[in-house]
Amino acid sequence: MDKVVKRFGAATVLNQLDFQVAKGEKVTIIGPSGSGKSTVLRILMTLETIDDGLIHVAGQPLWHEYREGGGIAPASEAHLRRMRKEMGMVFQQFNLFPHMTVLRNVTESPIHVLGLSREKARRRAFEYLDLVGMTEHAEKFPSQLSGGQQQRVAIARALATRPNIMLFDEPTSALDPELVGEVLSVIQRLSEEHDLTMLLVTHEMEFARQISDRVCFFDKGVVVEQASPEVIFNHPQEARTQDFLKNFMAARQGGR
């Protein structure tokens, strides 16, 4: 992201944001509500547009296309569809189709977006349902699953298009506390066993410490500080980062 600006009405949510993630890197974004964390992911998935700046994904412009002769034009829908195939996203609210079985939820995109045959999509779906420990629930409907199970299905669905980049937007925030661990363990396995670029927004600080190559603290639409988990959580340099972590830990302890 190069000097990206995003506004909602009079509010500037991303303010000349410069932000990069290297191939294969696991990066976690932390910060207060309204700091622009989730907006970054939604822009990458083309769920939100930008007002200014440039974004490149896998070496290709996201919201623009290069014309012959060197000019730049707004991205066509065909270009956006191609770019979406690079990424899979797991949302806070699982977003499963309630009228479809687990298996059909996972096969829909491979069939209709990638053009796979139904049988090939089915084989692929079972591959990823096995990865997240949900094979035995393939014929159930979302309403028959716990929140943690639904989120694991959502992860399998995102993986089924075989993206190079996985985006996680507070994947445990809608879960009861006792279900958080099962989802985090699946994401941890993905991180360790698969060569994916991963960008996570989370309030699970200990998880961010364990999984991340780099942690970025966002505030008011900019990156205030970014460093290894060791530096961010043990030796933050910026006063704003220090205050946020201190207040976050105080609130977490007060809630116990």
Side-chain angles (χ1 to χ4, degrees):
M1 290 190 167
D2 182 14
K3 300 199 176 343
V4 169
V5 175
K6 174 61 182 177
R7 302 182 188 93
F8 292 110
T12 299
V13 180
L14 300 180
N15 186 10
Q16 298 280 318
L17 176 67
D18 290 321
F19 181 63
Q20 291 80 38
V21 178
K23 183 178 180 181
E25 192 177 19
K26 278 65 176 173
V27 176
T28 299
I29 302 174
I30 63 172
S33 297
S35 60
K37 308 184 301 295
S38 293
T39 301
V40 167
L41 302 191
R42 292 182 62 80
I43 287 171
L44 289 173
M45 277 303 294
T46 71
L47 299 172
E48 300 285 355
T49 59
I50 59 175
D51 294 297
D52 201 3
L54 288 172
I55 301 174
H56 285 78
V57 174
Q60 296 294 315
L62 180 61
W63 284 104
H64 300 84
E65 290 183 80
Y66 293 123
R67 287 176 169 163
E68 290 185 17
I72 295 179
S76 65
E77 184 56 37
H79 176 77
L80 292 174
R81 282 198 300 270
R82 287 194 299 271
M83 297 304 293
R84 288 184 196 118
K85 292 178 184 179
E86 291 285 332
M87 293 168 281
M89 185 163 175
V90 178
F91 299 85
Q92 299 177 36
Q93 302 287 345
F94 329 123
N95 287 5
L96 299 177
F97 296 113
H99 62 290
M100 294 183 183
T101 63
V102 164
L103 182 60
R104 193 171 166 202
N105 264 282
V106 180
T107 58
E108 278 295 284
S109 285
I111 291 171
H112 296 291
V113 176
L114 302 184
L116 268 60
S117 69
R118 194 164 297 279
E119 181 54 36
K120 189 168 184 180
R122 181 183 172 88
R123 288 198 302 270
R124 184 180 292 192
F126 274 110
E127 174 187 345
Y128 290 110
L129 287 172
D130 181 60
L131 178 68
V132 300
M134 290 297 294
T135 305
E136 65 188 73
H137 302 285
E139 297 304 326
K140 292 182 179 178
F141 289 89
S143 62
Q144 297 172 289
L145 306 176
S146 70
Q149 289 171 330
Q150 289 186 60
Q151 193 61 296
R152 283 190 278 156
V153 173
I155 292 171
R157 179 182 61 183
L159 289 168
T161 58
R162 295 199 174 153
N164 294 313
I165 302 164
M166 281 290 288
L167 310 174
F168 295 89
D169 185 12
E170 304 246 20
T172 62
S173 65
L175 301 178
D176 293 332
E178 65 269 21
L179 301 177
V180 169
E182 68 182 73
V183 173
L184 294 184
S185 67
V186 168
I187 300 173
Q188 183 80 46
R189 278 186 58 204
L190 282 179
S191 172
E192 294 170 353
E193 298 175 11
H194 295 264
D195 186 26
L196 287 167
T197 304
M198 295 173 67
L199 182 57
L200 303 97
V201 170
T202 185
H203 59 278
E204 298 288 342
M205 298 300 167
E206 187 56 37
F207 181 65
R209 183 195 297 268
Q210 294 171 7
I211 200 172
S212 308
D213 297 314
R214 177 162 51 101
V215 176
C216 300
F217 173 64
F218 273 46
D219 192 28
K220 297 179 180 176
V222 299
V223 179
V224 174
E225 183 171 359
Q226 56 184 321
S228 68
E230 163 69 20
V231 170
I232 290 292
F233 292 116
N234 294 340
H235 309 287
Q237 302 300 300
E238 299 292 331
R240 182 68 188 93
T241 315
Q242 296 166 5
D243 289 344
F244 170 78
L245 291 171
K246 179 181 176 181
N247 292 335
F248 180 89
M249 295 310 298
R252 176 60 61 92
Q253 291 168 0
R256 290 175 179 171

